[in-house]
Amino acid sequence: MAGETMNQITLESTLPSRWKAISMRRRRVFACVATLLAIELFWCFNQFILGRLGNASLFSGSVLLACLFMLVAIGARRRLMMLPLRSVSTWLQIHLYTGIFACAVFVIHVPRIIANGWFEGILSWLFITVSASGIYGIFASRTIPKRLTAVPTQPRYDRIDWHRDQYRKAGAGIFESLTSDNGGDGLEDFYARQLQPYFESGLPLLFRIQPNPRRRRALLAELGDLKRYLSGDSLDAANRFSALVRHRDELDYHHGLQWKLRSWVIIHAALSLVLVVWAVVHAGFAFVMLGR
């Protein structure tokens, strides 16, 4: 009886998460279908205007400009957390599917993907660049958080430099405890040649762009070779150096991933604002030419 009761409790506790997962899948399917229907309706109405010899470019351009303003609104939502404007995740979903719709409108609106002329050409490249950065953001926002949680070290971004300085001080303390009498000559030389520059260095640009364990592996491999000739306190110091290298590498890995995510948000937002301004100027020129 107790076993049946526990099984029932376990089943009931898993039902909400299963229903939530099913609901999320249904919402995604509904959003994709709704986006495709919106694109189809837009295309049909655009063809209808063309068939009536109307100004279809004015219609598609106005819709595209409205989409751009709506896409930028997600940035404003992040800064208005106190207002009851639904959750940020809901706005992100709206942002995603509006971006897909805007890409389709752009393809329908322009006569060619890269427009002729420097002004329209820059506008085309801006839209393509912002769209590409948005696609990268979808991938990054779904993969980087998982990689971050897989790292044992979970420092706050604004405390990373402090942690890095603590590792530097710890390495210097281990080095100061070494003496020639306990066989630390080789370890002292290795610290001065490899470990000290490593602990005192910041995060390299290439590591920010693509975090990798190559430097950690090289240092640990050389330390491993050196341990074969050490014993006693020197061997203990070498093991502590190895632990510090691992902790420092985890910190750098965490720093690099967070930096990539934060840099993408800044670059994507800045390019989006430039795109909106450029599109508004383009729309102004179009209305001026239409009135002539």
Side-chain angles (χ1 to χ4, degrees):
M1 180 65 69
E4 293 178 358
T5 303
M6 289 300 296
N7 291 336
Q8 183 178 0
I9 293 174
T10 304
L11 178 61
E12 291 176 353
S13 63
T14 57
L15 282 176
S17 59
R18 290 180 180 177
W19 279 111
K20 184 177 180 180
I22 293 173
S23 178
M24 178 62 71
R25 287 196 294 268
R26 286 179 176 176
R27 286 199 295 267
R28 287 177 179 172
V29 171
F30 174 79
C32 290
V33 172
T35 303
L36 292 175
L37 286 176
I39 293 172
E40 180 68 21
L41 289 174
F42 172 81
W43 182 83
C44 291
F45 196 73
N46 192 75
Q47 293 298 111
F48 174 78
I49 295 176
L50 285 174
R52 293 296 185 93
L53 301 180
N55 196 332
S57 295
L58 179 62
F59 165 69
S60 58
S62 301
V63 173
L64 183 56
L65 186 61
C67 289
L68 293 179
F69 278 112
M70 190 172 182
L71 290 168
V72 172
I74 186 66
R77 171 63 184 89
R78 290 177 180 272
R79 293 165 176 79
L80 299 174
M81 300 297 293
M82 72 295 296
L83 298 179
L85 299 175
R86 306 287 292 181
S87 64
V88 174
S89 60
T90 300
W91 277 78
L92 285 173
Q93 292 299 311
I94 296 174
H95 185 82
L96 169 62
Y97 294 107
T98 304
I100 296 173
F101 177 74
C103 289
V105 174
F106 174 79
V107 172
I108 296 173
H109 173 68
V110 297
R112 51 187 299 176
I113 301 299
I114 304 298
N116 292 324
W118 68 270
F119 186 88
E120 288 80 7
I122 292 176
L123 183 59
S124 299
W125 279 112
L126 276 173
F127 187 91
I128 293 172
T129 304
V130 170
S131 301
S133 67
I135 294 172
Y136 169 78
I138 296 172
F139 170 78
S141 61
R142 282 163 170 74
T143 57
I144 290 181
K146 294 179 181 178
R147 295 168 66 184
L148 287 173
T149 55
V151 181
T153 304
Q154 297 291 327
R156 280 170 38 187
Y157 190 78
D158 58 346
R159 298 280 290 173
I160 287 179
D161 289 337
W162 181 85
H163 286 288
R164 186 175 286 118
D165 188 59
Q166 296 303 304
Y167 293 145
R168 178 190 63 80
K169 291 179 180 178
I174 297 172
F175 171 73
E176 291 173 0
S177 67
L178 294 173
T179 62
S180 301
D181 295 336
N182 58 24
D185 286 338
L187 195 56
E188 289 176 351
D189 176 70
F190 178 71
Y191 173 82
R193 180 170 44 87
Q194 295 283 9
L195 293 181
Q196 186 176 17
Y198 175 64
F199 290 132
E200 293 181 352
S201 65
L203 191 65
L205 179 61
L206 290 178
F207 195 96
R208 293 174 185 264
I209 297 174
Q210 185 57 48
N212 62 83
R214 285 195 294 269
R215 192 173 185 184
R216 181 201 68 194
R217 289 175 179 173
L219 291 173
L220 292 179
E222 194 166 350
L223 266 173
D225 293 336
L226 191 60
K227 287 178 185 178
R228 293 183 296 176
Y229 308 101
L230 301 176
S231 62
D233 293 338
S234 294
L235 181 59
D236 179 67
N239 290 329
R240 291 160 64 191
F241 275 137
S242 298
L244 274 181
V245 169
R246 292 188 181 93
H247 289 315
R248 168 60 194 268
D249 183 74
E250 290 174 359
L251 184 72
D252 288 347
Y253 184 75
H254 208 281
H255 188 186
L257 291 179
Q258 287 200 51
W259 181 85
K260 286 177 67 175
L261 200 56
R262 289 167 179 263
S263 299
W264 165 74
V265 171
I266 295 173
I267 293 173
H268 184 68
L271 289 175
S272 298
L273 288 175
V274 174
L275 173 61
V276 169
V277 172
W278 210 273
V280 168
V281 175
H282 170 75
F285 286 150
F287 278 112
V288 169
M289 297 300 296
L290 184 64
R292 292 184 177 180

